[in-house]
Amino acid sequence: GAVVSQHPSWVICKSGTSVKIECRSLDFQATTMFWYRQFPKQSLMLMATSNEGSKATYEQGVEKDKFLINHASLTLSTLTVTSAHPEDSSFYICSARGTGGNNSPLHFGNGTRLTVT
Amino acid sequence: GENVEQHPSTLSVQEGDSAVIKCTYSDSASNYFPWYKQELGKRPQLIIDIRSNVGEKKDQRIAVTLNKTAKHFSLHITETQPEDSAVYFCAASTNAGGTSYGKLTFGQGTILTVHP
């Protein structure tokens, strides 16, 4: 149980274009999803917290107008990287919390490898 | 906010030896401490977690200890095997209300290499 599906697993786009990444909780409802970014050989850095039906909460230094987050249902959150640039190339991973409150385990998606050329 | 420091950044052991990875955290309100294993290009996988009301937890070859007073916790892997080779991340979160939503703050990661 508690499967999180992320799509696409990899994407290559041209500089200036936008890319949408989907994160779905397949067998549970996730009122809160988290979006992380991981550069090569580095840790996972939280970008934003996605809350169903409300605006996302962004971490300091993350541009909300560049990384658009939509959490329109209890099973789907999307991250859109707008006007992508090569420095946005990274591994983007979503995660969702299952039932059990804030201290229940986070379940991660498979991640999306974004390459901006 | 929370700050999690993890050491060492790399760890090399012989098969069968034990491996220990240590983390410290800054926010005394943190009360949930998971450990993740991440293989190259894949998602982090939860391997063990511990809550603040427990000092130690064990699952087969893996154990985690927590010292709340000192604000540090450690991962212990015994009888290491080559397939244990991966990057390991510690993390900490609070169950605070408001806007924290129990978000995880990760350590920097430890590259564990187990030599046959």
Side-chain angles (χ1 to χ4, degrees):
Chain A
V3 175
V4 176
S5 174
Q6 189 172 338
H7 179 82
S9 56
W10 61 270
V11 58
I12 301 172
C13 71
K14 292 185 177 180
S15 186
T17 61
S18 296
V19 173
K20 180 186 283 189
I21 302 169
E22 292 187 348
C23 181
R24 295 180 184 271
S25 56
L26 296 186
D27 51 359
F28 66 100
Q29 293 183 334
T31 55
T32 302
M33 290 185 177
F34 301 91
W35 287 95
Y36 288 86
R37 178 167 55 184
Q38 186 177 33
F39 291 107
K41 298 184 180 180
Q42 293 190 23
S43 186
L44 289 86
M45 300 301 296
L46 180 66
M47 299 175 66
T49 301
S50 169
N51 307 299
E52 186 270 334
S54 65
K55 291 182 179 180
T57 303
Y58 289 81
E59 294 299 302
Q60 190 173 9
V62 179
E63 300 175 57
K64 62 180 181 180
D65 294 330
K66 180 172 180 62
F67 299 99
L68 301 179
I69 291 174
N70 184 285
H71 193 159
S73 77
L74 287 172
T75 59
L76 173 65
S77 176
T78 61
L79 168 68
T80 301
V81 182
T82 63
S83 187
H85 292 286
E87 55 265 32
D88 297 325
S89 298
S90 187
F91 192 51
Y92 292 85
I93 313 176
C94 69
S95 66
R97 175 160 285 110
T99 56
N102 282 343
N103 278 350
S104 57
L106 275 184
H107 303 281
F108 284 87
N110 275 326
T112 297
R113 175 78 55 192
L114 170 63
T115 303
V116 184
T117 62
Chain B
E2 176 67 280
N3 182 47
V4 178
E5 296 289 333
Q6 182 172 346
H7 299 281
S9 56
T10 61
L11 179 59
S12 183
V13 300
Q14 288 297 127
E15 182 176 3
D17 288 350
S18 294
V20 180
I21 303 171
K22 299 182 179 182
C23 288
T24 60
Y25 60 99
S26 61
D27 189 347
S28 57
S30 289
N31 56 7
Y32 176 63
F33 308 93
W35 286 88
Y36 289 87
K37 175 183 180 182
Q38 187 180 29
E39 297 178 351
L40 189 63
K42 296 188 177 181
R43 77 176 96 188
Q45 298 272 14
L46 178 69
I47 56 173
I48 196 167
D49 57 10
I50 191 168
R51 290 171 173 76
S52 59
N53 57 346
V54 176
E56 183 174 356
K57 183 177 178 180
K58 189 174 182 179
D59 183 3
Q60 299 183 339
R61 297 187 296 110
I62 296 174
V64 57
T65 58
L66 171 65
N67 183 327
K68 282 206 70 181
T69 303
K71 288 190 284 189
H72 66 70
F73 55 113
S74 301
L75 177 71
H76 304 252
I77 306 175
T78 59
E79 300 173 30
T80 54
Q81 302 166 1
E83 49 266 38
D84 293 331
S85 297
V87 181
Y88 290 80
F89 291 98
C90 64
S93 80
T94 67
N95 193 26
T99 60
S100 72
Y101 296 100
K103 64 183 181 182
L104 284 177
T105 300
F106 285 83
Q108 295 84 352
T110 296
I111 301 172
L112 173 64
T113 305
V114 181
H115 300 282

